[in-house]
């Protein structure tokens, strides 16, 4: 993948999410005071929407990561995936209840949950994730 100048995020259909980031901490530390001044700027504060750190995306020149680095559990199965990015619907409180009973906790998630129900890999990835958490807590 290489080291980005500042950071890199997956780019999916012109939507960038910072839930998976490859960060060059050395360069980010060197630019911290300029970035802080940018973030506290009143015009920038008005843009912050709480969904994604748009200040990072706006201030820094980001590089795109391959999609296989930020795959989501409701997307079609892909064996070349390096990392599954769990955001939005949560396995325990959204995906499993939806698959069992059709319950939707947040209407915003309905489309992702419907896609998840069509993809067998979604439930498999959630079970793998739960197993990983259980194994990690046993050590």
């Amino acid at each position: 993948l290489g080291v980005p100048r500042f950071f890199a995020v997956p780019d999916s259909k012109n939507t960038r999410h910072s839930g998976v980031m490859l960060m060059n901490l050395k360069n980010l530390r060197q630019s911290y005071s300029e970035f802080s001044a940018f973030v506290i700027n009143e015009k920038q504060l008005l843009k912050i929407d709480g969904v994604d750190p748009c200040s990072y995306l706006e201030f820094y020149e980001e590089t795109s990561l391959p999609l296989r680095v930020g795959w989501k559990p409701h997307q079609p199965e892909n064996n070349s995936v390096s990392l599954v990015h769990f955001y939005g619907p949560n396995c325990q409180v959204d995906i499993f209840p939806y698959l069992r009973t059709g319950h939707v906790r947040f209407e915003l998630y309905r489309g992702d949950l419907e896609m998840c129900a069509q993809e067998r890999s979604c439930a498999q990835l959630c079970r793998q994730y739960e197993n990983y958490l259980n194994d990690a807590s046993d050590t």
Side-chain angles (χ1 to χ4, degrees):
L1 293 174
V3 177
R5 182 166 176 221
F6 293 104
F7 71 92
V9 295
D11 187 358
S12 171
K13 297 179 185 170
N14 299 320
T15 302
R16 290 181 171 85
H17 296 282
S18 59
V20 175
M21 294 178 80
L22 176 60
M23 302 174 83
N24 183 331
L25 296 179
K26 179 183 175 190
N27 285 352
L28 288 169
R29 283 186 190 109
Q30 289 174 350
S31 62
Y32 179 75
S33 58
E34 292 88 359
F35 177 66
S36 295
F38 174 77
V39 170
I40 343 182
N41 178 306
E42 185 177 328
K43 290 179 185 173
Q44 185 62 20
L45 285 173
L46 295 174
K47 293 181 186 178
I48 295 176
D49 64 5
V51 175
D52 234 346
C54 56
S55 297
Y56 267 114
L57 300 176
E58 200 169 317
F59 183 79
Y60 292 107
E61 171 191 325
E62 86 275 1
T63 308
S64 292
L65 289 172
L67 287 179
R68 66 181 171 78
V69 178
W71 209 251
K72 295 157 193 75
H74 58 269
Q75 292 176 316
E77 188 170 354
N78 183 338
N79 292 329
S80 70
V81 168
S82 303
L83 178 73
V84 177
H85 177 197
F86 287 95
Y87 85 98
N90 177 289
C91 290
Q92 292 82 4
V93 297
D94 295 304
I95 294 173
F96 286 142
Y98 180 80
L99 294 175
R100 281 193 302 271
T101 68
H103 173 72
V104 176
R105 185 169 63 123
F106 297 116
E107 197 57 37
L108 176 67
Y109 295 164
R110 182 175 296 282
D112 289 343
L113 292 169
E114 288 170 353
M115 191 183 313
C116 182
Q118 295 172 6
E119 291 295 328
R120 290 183 320 216
S121 61
C122 181
Q124 283 177 292
L125 287 169
C126 282
R127 279 193 288 283
Q128 289 173 5
Y129 178 66
E130 279 188 327
N131 290 337
Y132 171 79
L133 292 177
N134 291 334
D135 290 348
S137 68
D138 291 342
T139 58

